[in-house]
Coordinates of all heavy atoms in Angstrom, one line a residue:
E1249 N 4.6 -9.2 4.2 CA 5.8 -10.0 3.9 C 6.0 -11.2 4.8 O 6.4 -12.3 4.3 CB 7.1 -9.1 4.1 CG 7.2 -8.0 3.1 CD 8.4 -7.1 3.3 OE1 9.2 -7.4 4.2 OE2 8.6 -6.2 2.4
Q1250 N 5.5 -11.1 6.0 CA 5.7 -12.2 7.0 C 4.6 -13.2 6.9 O 4.9 -14.4 7.1 CB 5.8 -11.6 8.4 CG 6.3 -12.6 9.5 CD 7.7 -13.0 9.3 OE1 8.6 -12.3 8.7 NE2 8.0 -14.3 9.8
Y1251 N 3.4 -12.8 6.6 CA 2.3 -13.7 6.9 C 1.4 -14.0 5.6 O 0.6 -14.9 5.6 CB 1.4 -13.2 8.0 CG 2.0 -13.3 9.3 CD1 2.6 -12.1 9.9 CD2 2.1 -14.5 10.0 CE1 3.3 -12.2 11.1 CE2 2.8 -14.6 11.2 CZ 3.3 -13.4 11.8 OH 4.0 -13.5 13.0
D1252 N 1.6 -13.2 4.6 CA 0.7 -13.4 3.4 C 1.4 -14.3 2.4 O 1.7 -14.0 1.2 CB 0.3 -12.1 2.7 CG -0.8 -12.3 1.7 OD1 -1.3 -13.4 1.6 OD2 -1.1 -11.3 1.0
K1253 N 1.7 -15.5 2.8 CA 2.5 -16.5 2.0 C 1.6 -17.0 0.8 O 2.2 -17.4 -0.2 CB 3.0 -17.7 2.8 CG 3.8 -17.3 4.0 CD 5.0 -16.5 3.7 CE 5.9 -16.2 4.9 NZ 7.1 -15.3 4.5
N1254 N 0.3 -16.9 0.9 CA -0.6 -17.4 -0.1 C -0.9 -16.2 -1.1 O -1.7 -16.4 -2.0 CB -1.8 -18.0 0.4 CG -1.6 -19.2 1.2 OD1 -0.7 -20.0 0.8 ND2 -2.4 -19.5 2.3
L1255 N -0.3 -15.1 -0.9 CA -0.5 -13.9 -1.8 C -2.0 -13.5 -1.8 O -2.5 -13.2 -2.9 CB 0.0 -14.2 -3.2 CG 1.5 -14.6 -3.3 CD1 1.9 -14.9 -4.7 CD2 2.4 -13.6 -2.6
T1256 N -2.7 -13.6 -0.7 CA -4.1 -13.3 -0.6 C -4.3 -11.8 -0.9 O -5.3 -11.4 -1.6 CB -4.7 -13.6 0.7 OG1 -4.5 -15.0 1.0 CG2 -6.2 -13.3 0.8
L1257 N -3.5 -10.9 -0.4 CA -3.7 -9.5 -0.5 C -2.5 -8.8 -1.2 O -2.4 -7.6 -1.2 CB -3.8 -8.9 0.9 CG -5.0 -9.3 1.8 CD1 -4.9 -8.7 3.1 CD2 -6.3 -9.0 1.1
T1258 N -1.7 -9.6 -2.0 CA -0.6 -9.0 -2.7 C -0.4 -9.8 -4.0 O -1.2 -10.7 -4.3 CB 0.7 -9.0 -1.9 OG1 1.7 -8.2 -2.6 CG2 1.2 -10.4 -1.5
Y1259 N 0.7 -9.5 -4.7 CA 0.9 -10.2 -6.0 C 2.4 -10.8 -6.0 O 3.2 -10.3 -5.2 CB 0.8 -9.2 -7.2 CG -0.6 -8.8 -7.4 CD1 -1.0 -7.5 -7.2 CD2 -1.6 -9.7 -7.9 CE1 -2.4 -7.1 -7.4 CE2 -2.9 -9.3 -8.2 CZ -3.3 -8.0 -7.9 OH -4.6 -7.6 -8.1
P1260 N 2.6 -11.8 -6.8 CA 3.9 -12.4 -6.8 C 5.0 -11.5 -7.4 O 4.7 -10.5 -8.1 CB 3.7 -13.7 -7.6 CG 2.6 -13.3 -8.5 CD 1.7 -12.4 -7.7
D1261 N 6.3 -11.9 -7.1 CA 7.4 -11.1 -7.6 C 7.4 -11.0 -9.2 O 7.9 -10.0 -9.7 CB 8.7 -11.8 -7.2 CG 9.0 -11.6 -5.7 OD1 8.3 -10.8 -5.1 OD2 9.8 -12.4 -5.2
E1262 N 6.8 -12.0 -9.8 CA 6.8 -12.0 -11.3 C 5.9 -10.9 -11.8 O 6.1 -10.4 -13.0 CB 6.3 -13.3 -11.8 CG 7.2 -14.5 -11.6 CD 7.2 -15.0 -10.1 OE1 6.1 -14.7 -9.4 OE2 8.2 -15.6 -9.6
R1263 N 5.0 -10.4 -11.0 CA 4.1 -9.3 -11.4 C 4.7 -8.0 -10.8 O 4.1 -7.4 -9.9 CB 2.7 -9.5 -11.0 CG 2.0 -10.6 -11.8 CD 0.6 -10.9 -11.3 NE -0.3 -9.8 -11.6 CZ -1.6 -9.8 -11.4 NH1 -2.2 -11.0 -11.1 NH2 -2.4 -8.8 -11.6
L1264 N 5.9 -7.6 -11.3 CA 6.7 -6.6 -10.7 C 5.9 -5.3 -10.7 O 5.9 -4.6 -9.6 CB 8.0 -6.4 -11.5 CG 9.1 -5.6 -10.8 CD1 9.5 -6.2 -9.5 CD2 10.3 -5.4 -11.7
Q1265 N 5.3 -4.9 -11.8 CA 4.6 -3.6 -11.8 C 3.5 -3.6 -10.8 O 3.3 -2.6 -10.0 CB 4.0 -3.4 -13.2 CG 3.0 -2.2 -13.3 CD 3.7 -0.9 -13.0 OE1 4.8 -0.6 -13.6 NE2 3.1 0.0 -12.2
D1266 N 2.7 -4.6 -10.7 CA 1.6 -4.7 -9.8 C 2.1 -4.7 -8.3 O 1.5 -4.0 -7.5 CB 0.7 -5.9 -10.0 CG -0.1 -5.8 -11.3 OD1 -0.3 -4.6 -11.8 OD2 -0.6 -6.8 -11.9
K1267 N 3.1 -5.5 -8.1 CA 3.6 -5.6 -6.7 C 4.0 -4.2 -6.2 O 3.7 -3.9 -5.0 CB 4.7 -6.6 -6.6 CG 5.3 -6.8 -5.2 CD 6.4 -7.9 -5.2 CE 6.9 -8.0 -3.8 NZ 7.9 -9.1 -3.7
H1268 N 4.7 -3.5 -7.0 CA 5.2 -2.2 -6.5 C 4.2 -1.1 -6.6 O 4.2 -0.1 -5.8 CB 6.5 -1.8 -7.3 CG 7.7 -2.6 -6.9 ND1 8.4 -2.4 -5.8 CD2 8.2 -3.7 -7.5 CE1 9.4 -3.2 -5.6 NE2 9.3 -4.1 -6.6
A1269 N 3.2 -1.3 -7.5 CA 2.1 -0.4 -7.5 C 1.3 -0.4 -6.2 O 0.7 0.6 -5.7 CB 1.2 -0.6 -8.7
L1270 N 1.2 -1.6 -5.6 CA 0.5 -1.7 -4.3 C 1.3 -0.9 -3.2 O 0.6 -0.1 -2.5 CB 0.5 -3.2 -3.8 CG -0.3 -4.2 -4.6 CD1 -0.2 -5.6 -4.0 CD2 -1.7 -3.7 -4.8
N1271 N 2.6 -0.9 -3.2 CA 3.4 -0.1 -2.3 C 3.2 1.4 -2.6 O 3.1 2.2 -1.7 CB 4.8 -0.5 -2.4 CG 5.7 0.0 -1.3 OD1 5.2 0.0 -0.1 ND2 6.9 0.5 -1.6
Q1272 N 3.1 1.7 -3.9 CA 2.8 3.1 -4.3 C 1.6 3.6 -3.6 O 1.5 4.7 -3.0 CB 2.7 3.2 -5.8 CG 2.1 4.4 -6.4 CD 1.7 4.2 -7.8 OE1 2.5 4.2 -8.7 NE2 0.4 3.8 -8.0
W1273 N 0.5 2.8 -3.7 CA -0.8 3.3 -3.2 C -0.8 3.3 -1.7 O -1.5 4.2 -1.1 CB -1.9 2.4 -3.7 CG -2.3 2.8 -5.1 CD1 -2.1 2.0 -6.2 CD2 -3.0 4.0 -5.5 NE1 -2.6 2.7 -7.3 CE2 -3.1 3.9 -6.9 CE3 -3.4 5.1 -4.9 CZ2 -3.7 4.9 -7.7 CZ3 -4.0 6.2 -5.6 CH2 -4.1 6.0 -7.0
L1274 N -0.1 2.4 -1.1 CA 0.1 2.5 0.4 C 0.7 3.7 0.8 O 0.3 4.4 1.8 CB 0.8 1.2 0.9 CG 1.1 1.2 2.4 CD1 -0.3 1.1 3.2 CD2 2.0 0.0 2.8
H1275 N 1.8 4.1 0.1 CA 2.5 5.4 0.4 C 1.6 6.6 0.1 O 1.6 7.6 0.9 CB 3.8 5.5 -0.4 CG 4.9 4.7 0.2 ND1 5.9 5.3 0.9 CD2 5.1 3.4 0.2 CE1 6.8 4.4 1.3 NE2 6.3 3.2 0.9
F1276 N 0.8 6.5 -0.9 CA -0.2 7.6 -1.2 C -1.2 7.7 0.1 O -1.4 8.8 0.5 CB -1.0 7.2 -2.4 CG -2.1 8.2 -2.8 CD1 -1.9 9.1 -3.8 CD2 -3.3 8.2 -2.2 CE1 -2.8 10.1 -4.2 CE2 -4.3 9.1 -2.6 CZ -4.1 10.0 -3.6
Q1277 N -1.6 6.6 0.5 CA -2.5 6.7 1.7 C -1.8 7.2 2.9 O -2.4 8.1 3.7 CB -3.1 5.2 2.0 CG -4.2 5.2 3.0 CD -3.7 5.2 4.5 OE1 -2.6 4.6 4.8 NE2 -4.4 5.9 5.3
M1278 N -0.6 6.8 3.2 CA 0.1 7.2 4.4 C 0.5 8.7 4.3 O 0.4 9.4 5.3 CB 1.4 6.4 4.6 CG 1.1 4.9 4.9 SD 2.7 4.1 5.3 CE 3.6 4.2 3.7
S1279 N 1.0 9.1 3.2 CA 1.5 10.5 3.1 C 0.5 11.6 2.7 O 0.7 12.7 3.0 CB 2.6 10.5 2.0 OG 2.1 10.2 0.7
L1280 N -0.7 11.1 2.2 CA -1.7 12.1 1.8 C -3.0 11.9 2.5 O -3.5 12.8 3.2 CB -1.9 12.0 0.2 CG -0.7 12.6 -0.6 CD1 -0.9 12.2 -2.1 CD2 -0.5 14.1 -0.4
Q1281 N -3.6 10.7 2.3 CA -5.0 10.6 2.9 C -5.0 10.8 4.4 O -5.7 11.6 4.9 CB -5.6 9.2 2.5 CG -7.0 9.1 2.9 CD -7.5 7.7 3.3 OE1 -6.7 6.9 3.9 NE2 -8.7 7.3 3.0
G1282 N -4.2 10.0 5.1 CA -4.2 10.1 6.5 C -3.9 11.5 7.1 O -4.7 12.0 7.8
P1283 N -2.8 12.1 6.7 CA -2.4 13.4 7.2 C -3.4 14.5 6.9 O -3.8 15.3 7.7 CB -1.0 13.7 6.6 CG -0.5 12.3 6.4 CD -1.6 11.4 6.0
F1284 N -3.9 14.5 5.6 CA -4.8 15.6 5.2 C -6.2 15.4 5.8 O -6.8 16.4 6.2 CB -4.8 15.7 3.7 CG -3.7 16.5 3.2 CD1 -2.5 15.9 2.8 CD2 -3.7 17.9 3.1 CE1 -1.4 16.6 2.3 CE2 -2.7 18.7 2.6 CZ -1.5 18.0 2.2
F1285 N -6.7 14.2 5.8 CA -8.0 14.0 6.5 C -7.9 14.4 7.9 O -8.8 15.0 8.5 CB -8.4 12.5 6.3 CG -9.0 12.2 5.0 CD1 -8.6 12.7 3.8 CD2 -10.1 11.3 4.9 CE1 -9.1 12.4 2.6 CE2 -10.7 10.9 3.7 CZ -10.2 11.5 2.6
H1286 N -6.8 14.0 8.6 CA -6.7 14.3 10.0 C -6.6 15.8 10.2 O -7.3 16.4 11.1 CB -5.4 13.7 10.5 CG -5.0 14.2 11.9 ND1 -5.6 13.7 13.0 CD2 -4.1 15.1 12.3 CE1 -5.1 14.4 14.1 NE2 -4.2 15.2 13.7
Q1287 N -5.9 16.6 9.4 CA -5.8 18.0 9.6 C -7.1 18.7 9.2 O -7.5 19.7 9.9 CB -4.7 18.6 8.7 CG -3.3 18.2 9.1 CD -2.9 18.7 10.5 OE1 -3.4 19.7 11.0 NE2 -2.1 18.0 11.2
A1288 N -7.8 18.1 8.2 CA -9.2 18.7 7.9 C -10.1 18.5 9.1 O -10.8 19.5 9.5 CB -9.8 18.0 6.7
G1289 N -10.1 17.4 9.8 CA -10.9 17.1 10.9 C -10.5 18.1 12.1 O -11.4 18.6 12.8
W1290 N -9.2 18.3 12.3 CA -8.8 19.2 13.3 C -9.3 20.6 13.1 O -9.9 21.2 14.0 CB -7.3 19.1 13.4 CG -6.7 20.2 14.4 CD1 -6.2 21.4 14.0 CD2 -6.8 20.2 15.8 NE1 -5.9 22.2 15.1 CE2 -6.2 21.4 16.2 CE3 -7.2 19.2 16.7 CZ2 -6.1 21.7 17.6 CZ3 -7.0 19.5 18.1 CH2 -6.5 20.8 18.5

């Protein structure tokens, strides 16, 4: 939000589905991949 003014790694507001789908996958990574991979390793 602060530094990707050129939309290098995101999409503009006009692409509403895509913009929020990115956030969806980030939440998937945070809530599933990271915690479960960590617990598997433990």
Side-chain angles (χ1 to χ4, degrees):
E1249 290 182 358
Q1250 189 70 26
Y1251 291 101
D1252 192 8
K1253 303 304 183 184
N1254 294 325
L1255 306 179
T1256 303
L1257 298 177
T1258 189
Y1259 291 110
D1261 292 343
E1262 293 75 24
R1263 292 179 61 170
L1264 193 64
Q1265 172 65 47
D1266 289 341
K1267 182 177 180 180
H1268 287 281
L1270 296 182
N1271 193 39
Q1272 162 196 281
W1273 282 111
L1274 179 62
H1275 279 257
F1276 180 100
Q1277 189 279 319
M1278 292 186 298
S1279 63
L1280 290 171
Q1281 189 211 34
F1284 277 92
F1285 278 38
H1286 170 76
Q1287 292 297 330
W1290 170 260

